[in-house]
Amino acid sequence: MKVMSNSEKEERCNSRHITWLMKSCFPTSHNITSPTTTITITKPSSFVPTTLSSLPNDIVLDFLSRVPSSSLPSISLVCSLWSRLLFSPDFLHLRRLRFLLHHTAAAITATQSGFFFATLLNNSWNNSKFFLSTCNAISLDDVYNILCHARVVSISHWVYVVGRNATLRCDTWTSSVTLCRAMIFPRKKFAAAAVAGKIYVAGGGSRSTAVEEYDPVSDTWAVVSQAPRRRYGCIGASVDGVLYIIGGLRIGAWEQNELSRAGSGAEAHAAYASSMDLFDVEGRVWLRSRVVPGGGCVVAACAAAGRVYALTSHAVELSFWSFDARRKCSSRGGGAFGEWCRIKSPPLPALVRVDTRMRFSCIGMGEKVVLIQVGGCGSEVRGSKEGLVLVYDCTTGEWERGADLPEIFRRAAYVGVEC
């Protein structure tokens, strides 16, 4: 057996190309030259890793605004910072820009089975249930009593049930309910609306004309003005920073009318039925009062698409009106602030009489108005149906039939919600 010499071994293991590659990558010690400068790397004493929470709020808001709506309830529980960002006006603004917020009509009711709400999406009512928090000591009986004489107002995805002695904040994302402070003055059948993230109430009080403001952030009520008229059974709406107190009865006259429904009592009963008071929230001033043309009684009203819409009744005739409420934009496209215009009436039976048996609720839903028949009509009016839903398109000026209201929500409170 031939034994390989050292030179043969070196040649076999280190051919010319392999040797060049190895020397290029791993130079020998005698080929290394000392560097002229020395670089010293100092390791920090405490290393802080970059986390999502350490990012600027605008960046966090940007990616949170892209989260699907179904994931928002769980996202809000990650940390207090994210919870605050999710409920900020900037977050809502970004969601609107990405067309991730939808206008819908909501119905809220309480039964022996629980506290329920339904939203109208894609011409279908979707039912859900609110969860009462034991830490707030809210019982189902409490909710039922609050709803009896309450008005409902929405701010984004929150629905506030403003009752005589308490206020409830209902979260349509998490289905949770929070007990909030009550109004300063007890009211019944009053006007309520949201303006710039705050809630304003007026009317419905026999001893006060105070207009109250509720701040959801601080959970406080404050008196901001005195209304020029004492109304009962009025309706609230808001457009362009103005609170509209619409219709209703003159407090005092309605008490007299309970004793006598004829003569001067009837005239006093309808004293404010077709008028509305306008309160500029920012300027804290009252604007000139407006009256619906024709002298009808306002039975339902709401705000949508920069206008106030009112359904009026003349005993057996219903008419539908729009009031141009856009103060801060040009009159391009026709009309000007303060102008009334009669528009197409809802396709209801011709012989409909609005009284204690038949009532309507009007809800603003983005560029549409939802009209719900909320009172029973019995069998006297052919074609009438309890729970009937009609939808008016503010752009085309046409009515269409909506999905009938589920039976459980035909004695409910209604409001437009953005969620």
Side-chain angles (χ1 to χ4, degrees):
M1 181 176 179
K2 182 180 178 181
V3 180
M4 295 178 60
S5 63
N6 292 335
S7 60
E8 289 177 344
K9 291 181 180 180
E10 186 176 353
E11 183 67 21
R12 179 69 61 88
C13 296
N14 298 284
S15 65
R16 181 176 298 178
H17 299 289
I18 296 179
T19 301
W20 175 85
L21 179 60
M22 295 298 293
K23 288 183 177 181
S24 300
C25 297
F26 304 98
T28 57
S29 57
H30 62 271
N31 292 327
I32 299 176
T33 57
S34 300
T36 56
T37 58
T38 303
I39 300 177
T40 303
I41 301 177
T42 304
K43 185 177 180 179
S45 57
S46 59
F47 176 70
V48 180
T50 302
T51 62
L52 290 176
S53 299
S54 64
L55 294 174
N57 288 349
D58 56 343
I59 296 179
V60 178
L61 270 174
D62 184 74
F63 72 73
L64 286 180
S65 66
R66 304 170 189 269
V67 175
S69 299
S70 58
S71 300
L72 290 177
S74 57
I75 289 293
S76 64
L77 302 176
V78 172
C79 63
S80 59
L81 173 62
W82 284 21
S83 178
R84 290 196 302 270
L85 293 178
L86 285 176
F87 302 144
S88 66
D90 293 335
F91 172 78
L92 300 176
H93 176 67
L94 290 174
R95 298 283 287 185
R96 292 189 190 99
L97 291 179
R98 295 185 171 92
F99 302 100
L100 295 176
L101 283 181
H102 306 283
H103 292 276
T104 179
I108 301 177
T109 188
T111 68
Q112 294 180 350
S113 302
F115 187 20
F116 300 95
F117 73 99
T119 54
L120 180 62
L121 290 173
N122 299 322
N123 202 28
S124 176
W125 290 96
N126 303 296
N127 301 349
S128 301
K129 185 176 182 179
F130 285 121
F131 298 101
L132 300 179
S133 175
T134 55
C135 62
N136 289 324
I138 307 174
S139 67
L140 191 57
D141 290 338
D142 294 334
V143 173
Y144 185 82
N145 292 332
I146 294 172
L147 274 172
C148 286
H149 303 291
R151 296 297 198 212
V152 287
V153 181
S154 70
I155 299 177
S156 179
H157 63 283
W158 285 306
V159 175
Y160 290 85
V161 181
V162 185
R164 288 172 58 90
N165 301 311
T167 302
L168 299 178
R169 185 182 70 184
C170 308
D171 194 329
T172 59
W173 284 353
T174 63
S175 300
S176 61
V177 180
T178 304
L179 181 64
C180 302
R181 293 184 183 275
M183 296 179 290
I184 300 174
F185 298 97
R187 303 170 189 267
K188 183 179 179 180
K189 295 186 177 181
F190 54 93
V195 182
K198 296 182 179 181
I199 297 174
Y200 295 84
V201 298
S206 60
R207 299 181 179 179
S208 174
T209 59
V211 177
E212 295 183 52
E213 175 191 81
Y214 175 72
D215 187 348
V217 177
S218 60
D219 187 26
T220 55
W221 289 90
V223 175
V224 294
S225 184
Q226 299 293 327
R229 296 177 176 85
R230 294 169 60 191
R231 297 173 182 263
Y232 175 83
C234 46
I235 305 168
S238 67
V239 182
D240 240 352
V242 175
L243 170 68
Y244 292 81
I245 308 169
I246 309 167
L249 314 176
R250 185 176 63 187
I251 292 182
W254 72 273
E255 295 172 344
Q256 178 184 354
N257 190 71
E258 292 296 321
L259 302 176
S260 174
R261 295 180 178 272
S264 60
E267 294 177 0
H269 181 79
Y272 300 150
S274 61
S275 67
M276 61 182 186
D277 295 323
L278 288 66
F279 178 59
D280 186 336
V281 170
E282 183 179 0
R284 294 290 196 261
V285 295
W286 291 90
L287 307 179
R288 183 170 62 90
S289 179
R290 311 294 173 126
V291 178
V292 182
C297 175
V298 177
V299 295
C302 69
R307 294 176 178 271
V308 173
Y309 291 87
L311 181 70
T312 63
S313 170
H314 297 78
V316 295
E317 179 186 6
L318 288 172
S319 58
F320 199 50
W321 298 82
S322 72
F323 176 85
D324 195 331
R326 298 165 294 182
R327 297 190 305 155
K328 301 177 182 178
C329 60
S330 63
S331 59
R332 181 176 52 188
F337 174 73
E339 289 189 0
W340 283 100
C341 178
R342 183 167 183 174
I343 53 182
K344 188 175 182 179
S345 298
L348 293 167
L351 298 178
V352 171
R353 179 182 179 86
V354 180
D355 52 21
T356 57
R357 294 166 298 170
M358 178 179 289
R359 297 176 182 176
F360 294 92
S361 181
C362 206
I363 306 168
M365 191 176 72
E367 298 293 322
K368 297 182 179 181
V369 174
V370 179
L371 183 65
I372 302 176
Q373 181 188 323
V374 298
C377 58
S379 58
E380 298 182 7
V381 181
R382 180 179 299 176
S384 292
K385 182 179 180 180
E386 187 175 355
L388 174 69
V389 176
L390 298 173
V391 181
Y392 177 79
D393 192 316
C394 303
T395 303
T396 63
E398 297 295 331
W399 289 91
E400 65 179 2
R401 180 72 177 269
D404 290 344
L405 197 66
E407 185 174 357
I408 190 177
F409 294 102
R410 294 179 184 177
R411 295 293 185 274
Y414 311 95
V415 66
V417 183
E418 188 179 28
C419 59

